[in-house]
């Protein structure tokens, strides 16, 4: 049986290769992405008896609008020096402008509290809150816009900002996987 199969494949090897390439071209665009069929919400795997699961449920009931994805804007001077009062005002102004830019899914950006400035005065944080989970494409698109809007607002000020946190990490992960999928697809063909 395997001998006949082997002879068939060897005699028609180019047709077999073409059939595999055609199958890949037809199947890949319609196959689900890994993120569509997996669950990255770690709390969903915990039994209700755990304290963190109970606290998460209480928080979601008491503050239903607070359960969205978050991110941190990390501000610093490009030269590495301590932030000045003018820098802090530029950061606050930038955060207000980005929050008011009408970016869908951005619920607010909060910065300027004393505990958001590092002890050495070189770093300041901005807390970004999104409506929706960090796996939602709309939230990831909003995180990307927050990055670009913030960079545009700080251009020429001597300040830099980076975005981190669950939404930003998932955005970077999505971009990295997109690049990897293209590379694998090209290598497969």
């Amino acid at each position: 049986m395997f001998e006949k199969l082997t002879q068939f494949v060897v005699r028609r090897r180019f047709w077999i290769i073409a059939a595999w390439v055609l199958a890949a071209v037809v199947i890949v665009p319609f196959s689900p992405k890994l993120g569509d069929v997996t669950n990255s919400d770690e709390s969903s795997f915990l039994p209700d008896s755990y304290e963190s699961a109970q606290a998460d449920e209480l928080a979601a009931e008491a503050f239903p609008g607070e359960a969205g994805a978050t991110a941190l804007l990390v501000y610093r001077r490009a030269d590495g020096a301590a932030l000045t009062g003018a820098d802090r005002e530029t950061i606050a102004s930038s955060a207000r402008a980005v929050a008011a830019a009408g970016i869908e899914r951005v619920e607010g950006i909060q910065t300027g509290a004393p505990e958001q400035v590092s002890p050495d005065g070189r770093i300041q944080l901005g807390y970004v809150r999104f409506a929706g989970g960090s796996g939602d494409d709309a939230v990831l698109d909003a995180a990307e816009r927050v990055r670009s809007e913030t960079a545009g607002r700080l251009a020429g000020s001597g300040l830099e900002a980076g975005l981190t946190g669950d939404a930003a990490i998932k955005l970077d992960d999505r971009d990295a996987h997109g690049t990897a999928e293209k590379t694998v697809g090209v290598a497969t063909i």
Side-chain angles (χ1 to χ4, degrees):
M1 178 175 144
F2 285 114
E3 185 177 321
K4 289 183 182 183
L5 178 62
T6 304
Q7 289 174 0
F8 177 82
V9 170
V10 169
R11 286 186 194 139
R12 294 165 183 84
R13 63 185 166 270
F14 295 111
W15 287 106
I16 300 293
I17 292 170
W20 277 108
V21 169
L22 179 64
V25 167
V26 170
I27 292 171
V28 168
F30 299 106
S31 62
K33 295 187 188 267
L34 183 60
D36 295 340
V37 294
T38 59
N39 183 356
S40 62
D41 179 14
E42 292 87 1
S43 66
S44 68
F45 298 107
L46 287 174
D48 291 338
S49 61
Y50 282 90
E51 179 182 343
S52 60
Q54 293 170 358
D56 186 54
E57 185 177 331
L58 284 173
E61 288 174 12
F63 303 98
E66 304 290 322
T70 59
L72 280 177
L73 279 163
V74 182
Y75 299 94
R76 72 179 188 123
R77 287 182 55 88
D79 62 9
L83 297 168
T84 65
D87 292 334
R88 289 192 186 110
E89 180 51 40
T90 300
I91 290 169
S93 173
S94 168
R96 283 191 302 272
V98 172
I103 301 171
E104 185 181 346
R105 300 294 185 102
V106 173
E107 291 188 334
I109 301 175
Q110 192 275 325
T111 190
E115 60 271 8
Q116 290 179 305
V117 178
S118 66
D120 65 2
R122 296 177 189 276
I123 306 291
Q124 183 168 328
L125 301 177
Y127 178 76
V128 184
R129 197 165 39 107
F130 298 96
S134 60
D136 297 347
D137 282 335
V139 170
L140 300 182
D141 294 341
E144 190 168 32
R145 282 211 47 214
V146 167
R147 273 186 177 159
S148 64
E149 287 279 334
T150 300
R153 303 273 179 197
L154 297 177
S157 69
L159 295 168
E160 300 173 333
L163 190 68
T164 189
D166 60 342
I169 290 169
K170 292 215 176 170
L171 169 63
D172 292 341
D173 188 55
R174 178 182 74 175
D175 292 346
H177 279 95
T179 302
E181 287 175 4
K182 289 176 189 170
T183 303
V184 169
V186 169
T188 302
I189 294 174

